[in-house]
Amino acid sequence: RASSLRSFVLAIIAQADPLATSATRDADLALLTTAESRLASELGMHPELALELRVALAKAYRNRGEYARAGETLRRAIAEARQVMPVSDSRLASAWIQASEWQIFLDEEIDAEVDRAIETMRQLGKEGADLAIEGLQQRAQRWSVKGGRQAEALADVREAHGLARHPDRLRQLV
């Protein structure tokens, strides 16, 4: 039942059209705000679910051009999850990888966390391959944009390509 409810809520969050009229957009934002406020009071005992739903809410805010709210929501999601979840948790690692794409955190903070997230995905083996690839791509992009780190960016792109071709060899590539 909990899994069905989770899927239902995530579908509602994702379904609203970010290109809808302003009246619909305002209603969407009101729904997202309400959902976010209820998370804190009703999912305190389920940090994993709260993290997943807050990440989905942050995506929905971002898709509607609400970048500041997306950043605040994602920061809150990660901060609360860090208090109760181990840093090696794949869901927390996934949230950091997504945060790196959005560039809403300071470089020093995001770089260290994405490095840790990629290592977490590597340790998971084949199950972590998709997120490891995403993390490597995001890190390579950040390094390319920063400049001066082209060799590291190229190494990440090569590793991501190798993982995409042979995810079962994840630990061998490290």
Side-chain angles (χ1 to χ4, degrees):
R1 177 176 161 99
S3 178
S4 296
L5 181 58
R6 178 185 139 276
S7 297
F8 174 74
V9 172
L10 288 172
I12 288 174
I13 292 169
Q15 187 173 3
D17 179 10
L19 302 175
T21 66
S22 63
T24 303
R25 183 179 176 280
D26 292 344
D28 289 349
L29 290 174
L31 173 67
L32 294 172
T33 301
T34 300
E36 187 176 2
S37 68
R38 300 278 306 265
L39 279 176
S41 63
E42 298 188 23
L43 291 177
M45 299 300 292
H46 305 283
E48 301 87 3
L49 182 57
L51 174 64
E52 186 176 5
L53 292 174
R54 278 202 172 100
V55 169
L57 287 167
K59 284 180 186 178
Y61 281 134
R62 184 192 65 178
N63 290 343
R64 285 158 185 76
E66 296 288 327
Y67 301 108
R69 289 176 82 175
E72 292 167 18
T73 301
L74 193 54
R75 281 183 184 277
R76 190 175 313 112
I78 290 172
E80 290 179 9
R82 289 173 103 176
Q83 293 177 3
V84 294
M85 297 169 75
V87 294
S88 61
D89 189 285
S90 63
R91 295 160 295 199
L92 186 54
S94 174
W96 276 113
I97 289 169
Q98 291 179 50
S100 73
E101 174 189 358
W102 301 354
Q103 301 178 356
I104 58 171
F105 289 87
L106 298 174
D107 285 342
E108 300 80 29
E109 181 181 18
I110 198 70
D111 288 346
E113 293 299 338
V114 170
D115 290 348
R116 184 177 301 134
I118 291 169
E119 185 56 35
T120 297
M121 295 301 108
R122 285 176 174 151
Q123 297 303 315
L124 289 175
K126 188 175 182 177
E127 294 78 33
D130 288 344
L131 278 173
I133 291 167
E134 186 178 341
L136 288 163
Q137 290 172 332
Q138 291 304 325
R139 187 169 66 183
Q141 184 175 29
R142 290 176 62 77
W143 284 352
S144 292
V145 170
K146 284 182 185 182
R149 298 191 73 176
Q150 299 304 322
E152 292 98 333
L154 183 57
D156 278 353
V157 168
R158 286 182 175 150
E159 183 180 351
H161 181 261
L163 288 176
R165 292 186 61 185
H166 305 286
D168 53 323
R169 294 192 213 161
L170 181 60
R171 290 196 179 125
Q172 297 170 5
L173 293 171
V174 177

